[in-house]
Amino acid sequence: MTVEELEKAWLNLSDRIDRIEKNEIDRERLFGMKRKTALDSLASRYRRFSTVAFVMILPGMMSLLNPLSRSDIKWWVAGYYILYMVVAGCMDGWLYKGVSAIDVTSMPVLEVGRLCRFYRRRHHQFMLLLIPLACIFIGLICYAFRFDPYFIAGAVAGCVAGIIIGTVQYLKFVSDYKTVTSD
């Protein structure tokens, strides 16, 4: 082998190594961004849910202040609704604060995984608390407005829409947690 051939082979090998290293760096960057994006998605979804819950207190307050309210039970329904939204907003706010504090760049991988599993577990515990409370709320609405079939039909339609939307959002949460804790 001549010096020129050796030099050409050396440069060729150097180019291949550079491309492999670049691909590994790109893969690592993409992998890290995917984890960061999933955590950001979780945090932004929790923030959005918390904000919506606190904004939804306003219709309950307006219902309490409505002078046309005909029944004492409607006051209880509105009060229960406001309390439910405050609890849901606080829970989502707490989850947002916790998930957004996870820093994949400075925390060890095991710590990130542990915290994600912790917040996923809390998410499920909060759901186990809030879903029965929502069912009680639907029951209170149906009882308070038992003589208004259109209102009950609207409550049932809202319940079905809530179940569908809630299931879709739950699957997105699970997907994001799975992305973060995978590997």
Side-chain angles (χ1 to χ4, degrees):
M1 191 177 249
T2 65
V3 175
E4 290 84 23
E5 290 174 345
L6 186 60
E7 184 177 338
K8 188 176 179 181
W10 179 264
L11 290 174
N12 200 6
L13 182 61
S14 179
D15 287 342
R16 286 184 188 175
I17 290 173
D18 287 344
R19 276 184 276 154
I20 290 171
E21 286 177 350
K22 184 179 183 295
N23 286 341
E24 286 179 10
I25 291 170
D26 288 343
R27 230 179 302 136
E28 288 174 7
R29 187 178 305 141
L30 178 64
F31 187 66
M33 287 174 64
K34 186 176 180 185
R35 285 182 184 266
K36 185 176 183 223
T37 302
L39 278 174
D40 287 344
S41 174
L42 281 169
S44 67
R45 194 172 294 122
Y46 281 130
R47 185 181 62 239
R48 186 172 47 247
F49 272 57
S50 179
T51 303
V52 167
F54 285 121
V55 167
M56 291 306 293
I57 291 173
L58 294 175
M61 304 268 292
M62 292 180 355
S63 175
L64 278 177
L65 299 175
N66 184 2
L68 301 176
S69 183
R70 299 177 300 231
S71 172
D72 289 337
I73 189 87
K74 292 177 187 173
W75 287 79
W76 288 101
V77 171
Y80 186 88
Y81 173 78
I82 291 170
L83 181 65
Y84 180 85
M85 287 298 159
V86 167
V87 169
C90 288
M91 288 177 173
D92 287 334
W94 183 80
L95 288 167
Y96 162 70
K97 185 179 174 186
V99 168
S100 63
I102 298 173
D103 185 10
V104 295
T105 59
S106 65
M107 292 181 175
V109 174
L110 291 176
E111 181 69 9
V112 170
R114 186 191 68 76
L115 286 172
C116 288
R117 284 188 299 278
F118 172 79
Y119 287 114
R120 182 182 60 204
R121 194 174 317 118
R122 288 296 178 261
H123 177 96
H124 288 124
Q125 290 170 345
F126 290 164
M127 285 178 57
L128 287 174
L129 177 68
L130 290 174
I131 289 173
L133 292 177
C135 293
I136 291 170
F137 176 68
I138 298 297
L140 282 174
I141 287 177
C142 290
Y143 179 74
F145 296 95
R146 63 188 174 276
F147 301 115
D148 188 353
Y150 297 110
F151 196 90
I152 292 176
V156 170
C159 182
V160 169
I163 289 171
I164 292 169
I165 292 169
T167 303
V168 168
Q169 289 299 315
Y170 172 73
L171 292 175
K172 288 180 181 178
F173 274 112
V174 169
S175 174
D176 284 341
Y177 274 117
K178 187 175 184 179
T179 300
V180 172
T181 58
S182 68
D183 200 31

